[in-house]
DNA sequence: AGCACGATTGCCT
DNA sequence: GGCAATCGTGCTT
């Protein structure tokens, strides 16, 4: 991807990211998955967005960077949320990555999930997991950050560098569905805007065709 | 310095 | 379907 790809507004970027691959390189090992669910946060005019009304604090500072940087914050005191900044510098829009379909680096990904959930009885190997079981390891914003080892240590990274980035592996969603965003009931009428994008699922797994 | 609450998840009934 | 876990953030004092 190039810088212009990320300089779309958040609504366009959120849709464009469905089917792209999110990659995190940890100690030379690549964890990667196909993005299957996103939400657009449209900046100063969006009551659900952290930068609503131009709010600019130490937490929201990276939202004001140029398109294509990571914005990672902590939610509910226990989970990280991974966003990618949209639009140009000083226009604080972002796209929340809500779900990915794990595709590469599955051994390390499973190990990350096991480390974050020591009490749960998770499979020891990916070899005997179905696609639906693999999908369940990263099908939520907090879960995918655990699976990808993303925390606030990864806040503000340039997504055009080689640590945490997006690439196009040729997967195209069979169909993109739109729905209201999750967990923003406080946002008034904006809570009903269809600014969440999902890849259509069949048998509990998002479906892509390889071009 | 204090406080209310959240772009969530998993476990319980 | 309800609810607890858990703490940084932003706003008030």
């Amino acid at each position: 991807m190039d810088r212009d790809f990320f300089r779309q507004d958040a609504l366009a970027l959120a849709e464009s990211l469905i089917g792209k691959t999110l990659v995190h390189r940890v100690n030379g090992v690549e964890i990667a998955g196909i993005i299957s669910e996103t939400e657009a946060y449209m900046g100063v005019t969006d009551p659900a967005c952290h930068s609503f009304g131009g709010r600019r604090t130490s937490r929201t500072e990276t939202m004001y960077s140029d398109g294509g940087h990571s914005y990672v914050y902590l939610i509910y005191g226990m989970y990280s949320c991974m966003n990618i900044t949209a639009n140009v510098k000083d226009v604080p829009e972002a796209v929340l990555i809500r779900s990915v379909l794990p595709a590469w680096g599955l051994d390390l990904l499973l190990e990350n999930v096991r480390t974050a959930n020591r009490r749960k009885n998770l499979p020891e190997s990916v070899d005997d997991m179905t696609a639906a079981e693999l999908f369940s390891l990263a099908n939520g914003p907090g879960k995918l950050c655990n699976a990808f080892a993303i925390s606030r240590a990864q806040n503000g990274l340039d997504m055009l560098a080689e640590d945490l980035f997006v690439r196009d592996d040729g997967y195209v969603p069979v169909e993109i569905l739109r729905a209201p965003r999750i967990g923003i009931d406080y946002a008034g009428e904006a809570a009903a805007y269809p600014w969440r994008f999902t890849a259509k699922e069949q048998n509990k797994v998002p479906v892509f065709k390889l071009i």
Side-chain angles (χ1 to χ4, degrees):
Chain A
M1 321 308 305
D2 60 11
R3 186 67 70 193
D4 283 342
F5 173 79
F6 295 106
R7 284 178 174 156
Q8 305 178 78
D9 69 47
L11 206 49
L13 181 61
E15 182 161 15
S16 299
L17 282 168
I18 301 293
K20 300 296 188 294
T21 301
L22 178 68
V23 186
H24 189 197
R25 284 199 185 129
V26 184
N27 297 326
V29 181
E30 186 173 280
I31 298 174
I34 304 167
I35 296 169
S36 60
E37 182 172 1
T38 61
E39 284 178 0
Y41 286 84
M42 285 291 280
V44 298
T45 61
D46 178 3
C49 187
H50 288 166
S51 61
F52 177 59
R55 185 163 56 184
R56 187 165 187 162
T57 64
S58 58
R59 177 177 62 152
T60 64
E61 184 59 32
T62 58
M63 284 193 81
Y64 288 79
S65 54
D66 202 352
H69 290 75
S70 61
Y71 170 48
V72 185
Y73 63 88
L74 190 70
I75 190 68
Y76 300 116
M78 7 178 20
Y79 298 104
S80 297
C81 286
M82 163 75 197
N83 299 251
I84 300 174
T85 62
N87 219 312
V88 297
K89 181 173 166 53
D90 292 325
V91 180
E93 301 178 8
V95 175
L96 171 66
I97 311 299
R98 290 191 54 88
S99 185
V100 309
L101 180 57
W104 294 273
L106 301 180
D107 292 332
L108 179 54
L109 185 147
L110 177 59
E111 193 53 44
N112 290 338
V113 175
R114 289 172 58 85
T115 301
N117 302 279
R118 291 186 184 282
R119 319 185 68 162
K120 279 174 66 177
N121 206 11
L122 287 156
E124 292 188 15
S125 164
V126 298
D127 295 337
D128 36 42
M129 295 180 71
T130 65
E133 286 170 334
L134 277 173
F135 181 50
S136 74
L137 297 178
N139 63 345
K143 295 168 78 175
L144 94 81
C145 282
N146 281 339
F148 275 65
I150 293 171
S151 70
R152 283 175 304 161
Q154 280 72 42
N155 183 42
L157 296 182
D158 187 345
M159 304 284 300
L160 296 183
E162 299 196 332
D163 299 307
L164 180 60
F165 59 96
V166 173
R167 72 174 177 227
D168 188 349
D169 286 320
Y171 289 90
V172 174
V174 167
E175 185 180 352
I176 294 179
L177 308 177
R178 297 184 61 160
R181 295 172 291 178
I182 300 289
I184 54 160
D185 294 343
Y186 59 86
E189 67 178 33
Y193 297 167
W195 287 357
R196 177 160 59 104
F197 297 86
T198 60
K200 184 180 181 181
E201 291 185 13
Q202 282 176 17
N203 301 322
K204 300 182 181 177
V205 179
V207 190
F208 303 93
K209 51 193 171 189
L210 186 52
I211 302 291

